[in-house]
Each structure stands twice: as structure tokens, then as C-alpha cells.
Amino acid sequence: MDKMFSVEGYEKTYQWAVNIIKDYPNCNMLIWQVAVMLDSRRIIGQCEHPDKYDEQINFWYEIALNDKDEKIQHHAADSLFGFYLRKGNYEMAEKYLNYFSDYDPMKKLKLGQLYMEQEKTEEAYEKLENVDTICDFQKSRLYKHIKFQDAENPYAEEMKKELIAGFQNEEDFAYMKGYKPWKKLLAKY
């Protein structure tokens, strides 16, 4: 396809793609890949009338979105999200994020991207920031203007002492005998 784009131009490559998809109507990965190639050429300006192809390319993405293979669905949803985000149709862009698992970090990233486009800065930072512990928010750009005091936990020192005392039980931790980092930890306390 790359060679065809440079030699034949967008329109002839598009017509070739239509024929390929007619020949392989059930190969959704191929359909998605062809759509991505054509879409990417539109994005980088190698197409005179990019809006002319919106409906067909999105139709191909929708075909791939209905595939049984989750990987193909995910690729298609990602492509449709990007398309609608570029067009400023934020409601449609968000619709395609439902194809992403809530455990997929890309969903949070894309939600952050969506919120940034809508100038919802605080919501965007909330999605884009990586917060793993209760105190990590202090490192966030949203809270950089606030001075935080170190929290004292009266139970932490007591718990640490109990753990070290438990670790020193030679019977339970006999398998650690001779392990240098283990010896170093016990020697420290």
C-alpha cells in the first residue's frame, strides 16, 4: 500500500482497498488495517478531500468493532475514538472507550486526553496522574502549590519492630540463612 500511495495516489489506492475488502469480506483484521492505512494518510494530509472518505472508513472500523476477537475490537474502538476526538465529537469518542476494560491503563490515558480536549483540566489530570498510594497525590501537578506535612503514623514503628522480631525467628526463616540481603536487614535492626 505504501508504494501504491506514492505511485498511484490516494484515490486509486482507495479503490484498490475497496476491491480487496470485497474479495476478503470476513477478514476483519485486514479490513481494520486497510482502514487505518487510508485514515492515516488522510490525517497527514495526503488526501485532497479527506471528509469524502469518512463514512466508508468508519464503516470499516465498525465492521472490525463487531469481530469476535477482542484484540480486533480494541483496535477498531481505538481508531474510532481517535477519529471522533479529531473531529471534536467528544460524546462519540467517549462511547468507544466503553470497549476498553476499566483495568486497561490506556482507558485512563484516553479519558485524560478527551478531558484535555474539552478543557476539563482537573478531570484530565485526575485520569492522567498515576496515583498508587494514598500519599502519591501530593506529587500531582494539581497540588504542587500546597505544602504538605509529613504524617506521623504511631503504629508504623511498632509494626516495624514486630516484623523484625518475627523475621529473627530462625526456625521460620531457616531458608533465608546465608542470604546476604536478609542478613543485612536483620543486622540493621
Side-chain angles (χ1 to χ4, degrees):
M1 265 181 102
D2 268 347
K3 188 175 181 182
M4 188 175 285
F5 275 120
S6 57
V7 174
E8 301 289 338
Y10 192 91
E11 181 60 36
K12 285 189 179 183
T13 305
Y14 171 79
Q15 290 303 324
W16 172 84
V18 168
N19 291 330
I20 287 293
I21 290 173
K22 282 180 186 175
D23 290 343
Y24 301 96
N26 297 320
C27 187
N28 292 337
M29 181 58 98
L30 172 70
I31 292 169
W32 171 76
Q33 289 172 335
V34 166
V36 166
M37 291 291 287
L38 290 167
D39 202 11
S40 64
R41 296 297 171 140
R42 292 179 331 144
I43 292 168
I44 62 173
Q46 293 186 344
C47 175
E48 285 185 37
H49 307 287
D51 294 341
K52 173 182 172 182
Y53 304 97
D54 284 355
E55 190 175 325
Q56 183 62 58
I57 289 173
N58 281 359
F59 176 71
W60 288 333
Y61 284 148
E62 289 287 345
I63 288 172
L65 189 66
N66 292 312
D67 196 90
K68 292 176 186 173
D69 184 338
E70 282 185 36
K71 185 177 178 183
I72 296 172
Q73 287 177 8
H74 189 269
H75 289 317
D78 186 32
S79 297
L80 285 161
F81 168 80
F83 173 80
Y84 285 110
L85 187 67
R86 288 190 308 277
K87 292 289 186 178
N89 188 338
Y90 305 125
E91 189 175 307
M92 287 297 288
E94 191 167 7
K95 170 188 166 187
Y96 292 104
L97 290 180
N98 291 326
Y99 287 87
F100 289 74
S101 164
D102 289 337
Y103 302 106
D104 183 344
M106 288 306 293
K107 184 173 186 175
K108 285 177 80 174
L109 182 68
K110 290 187 178 302
L111 266 173
Q113 190 180 6
L114 178 65
Y115 292 150
M116 286 299 277
E117 286 288 323
Q118 296 176 72
E119 298 181 4
K120 296 178 179 178
T121 308
E122 286 189 38
E123 292 93 334
Y125 284 156
E126 183 181 312
K127 294 297 177 189
L128 295 172
E129 304 260 343
N130 186 9
V131 178
D132 292 327
T133 69
I134 197 161
C135 294
D136 280 352
F137 77 92
Q138 296 174 4
K139 300 171 193 163
S140 166
R141 293 188 303 175
L142 284 176
Y143 301 103
K144 69 181 178 184
H145 64 284
I146 299 174
K147 297 279 185 208
F148 293 97
Q149 293 179 343
D150 288 334
E152 290 184 30
N153 185 343
Y155 305 107
E157 279 304 312
E158 186 178 323
M159 188 181 299
K160 187 188 290 184
K161 288 177 186 174
E162 288 179 21
L163 282 170
I164 294 299
F167 290 157
Q168 292 174 345
N169 182 329
E170 290 182 20
E171 187 177 318
D172 289 342
F173 293 98
Y175 65 94
M176 297 296 279
K177 192 173 188 173
Y179 182 57
K180 288 182 183 178
W182 183 253
K183 283 182 176 181
K184 188 176 176 181
L185 173 70
L186 294 179
K188 185 176 177 181
Y189 297 100

